Amino acid sequence: MAEHSRFLALLAVAVAAFALVPRLGGDYAIGVALNLLMWIALTQSWVVLSAMTGYVSLGHAVFFGAGAYAMVLCFGSLPFWLSVIVAGAATGLLALLVGYPCLRVRGPYFVILTFGLAELVKFVVINVEAALGQFGRLLFGGPGLAQIFYVVLVLAAVSVIVTWFVRRSRFGAGLRAIRENEEAAETLGIDVARYKVLAFALSAIVPGMVGAAMVLRTTYFEPLDLFNPITSFTIVSIAIIGGGDDVPGPVYGALFLVLMQELLWANWPEVYMILLGGLLVAFVLGVPDGIHGRVAAWRKARG
Amino acid sequence: MLEIADLSAGYGEAGVLDAVSLDVARGSITALVGSNGAGKTTLMRTVAGLLPVKAGGIVFDGSDLTRAAPHDRVERGLSLVPEGRLIFPGFSVEENLRAGAIAPHARPRLAARLEEMYALFPILKQRRRQPGGTLSGGEQQMLAIARGLMSCPRLLLLDEPSLGLAPAVAQSLFETIVRIRGTGVTVFVVEQDIRSTLEIADTAYVLENGRIVMLGTAADLLEDPQVRQAYLGL
């Protein structure tokens, strides 16, 4: 219980600090903080499925993009906040529908399947838009940057809370048991099919809502951008750099990545991707348990 | 308590079990023995619901389990300790045990059950904070059995518990099985170590090429010339 109250207090302080950014900082500061919160929200959601169960999704961009598309379809007819909720419901439902067949395969097959699924949905949306005679949609008259920021701040907080409580629940213990040994988990009475599909749906809702909010920032809907596989790759990279199957990993990873982006992008834009790729290789080879694993080991050593 | 009637099962098209029938009496230690490839593990996996039944039926405590999902079978009091132990290597010993009580009916008894398991296997209490993967083979088998008992089963299925254990460790394992029966749990064990198994079992079945070829009290089978020649090398 003490652990929960300390976590919630820390979270409240962090949310309050972020809430001050639009009041104190300019558009640049808001942009950087928004970027950070977005990656935290996306990666926390990914952790619930992939870090806990070991079913690595390389297609989480599909939920980001589908949420953005839901926002586009609602745009003008529903209020902003309601559209965000609709987007979350839609991507959760999408995950429930595709989850059952997808989660029957394991290991590399699941990885490739999620990647393929994201590409499939992307091209379906492109073709639907073409059939509708739409080639990139402009979204004028949406909410301002500060309003988008507050929505993504709430989503990041929600994703952190979800990861925290799932990680400490019976459900989370079941998900981690599936990762350790799925057959053993089944013999202990864990309904593995249901657990995996629920985790998949849970990991899809917040990314859909984040996509819905973020598409309004660019005021332009282009499927190739919103379903960009780089989004999926970045989520996995942040999770690897951050490490672990708990709340701190994605926070460390996103902080690290966003700082690097700002530093490298500003100073050496031409080698930014090369450096990022090099860092990822270094982490996988040298720090397989990520920043979180190193911090935990360091704390333990200090007693 | 467990009645298996004309059970056929296997992997894909290939049939492994051919019309197997056997009964496990309440409160007994019942053994199924046989050589490699006889179909012993297939039978255990089918009873636990990990493999579908092709023909025949499984009845447990009067209710039909033939088509029940694995988690339903755990809920009704059946627990399998799988071949090769399959403990969770990254979980601590205590986390492994807690995961064993994840079924809804086992949750309220978790704390008490954990103490019972530590009393039954004191070595696990000493190692409670250690990752399961760092235990020795014998300790891992104890952990796997304790984890299987955490769901408070009425029938415990043990699949090759002595596999890969040093003879002395295996011997203490067989003694543990007798102690488990003493706590009121019925035990159905599949083994290749036929002599040790027959020494602790009440009833035994001999499986060969997916068929039951012999059955009787364990004491009778130990004295049976055919068994002595084919399986005990006497």
Side-chain angles (χ1 to χ4, degrees), chain A residues 170 180 183-184 187 189-191, chain B residues 45 71 74 86 89-90 102 107:
Chain A
R170 186 164 76 95
E180 294 285 309
E183 180 158 317
T187 66
I190 296 168
D191 186 347
Chain B
R45 289 169 51 88
H71 61 93
V74 175
L86 311 188
I102 202 161
R107 287 271 288 174

Side-chain angles (χ1 to χ4, degrees), chain A residues 36 40 43-44 160 238 242 246-257:
Chain A
L36 178 64
I40 289 175
T43 310
Q44 294 289 0
V160 164
I238 291 173
D246 205 348
V247 167
V251 175
Y252 291 134
L255 265 170
F256 184 85
L257 188 95

Side-chain angles (χ1 to χ4, degrees), chain A residues 231-244:
Chain A
T231 305
S232 304
F233 303 155
T234 306
I235 292 171
V236 178
S237 306
I238 291 173
I240 289 173
I241 291 171

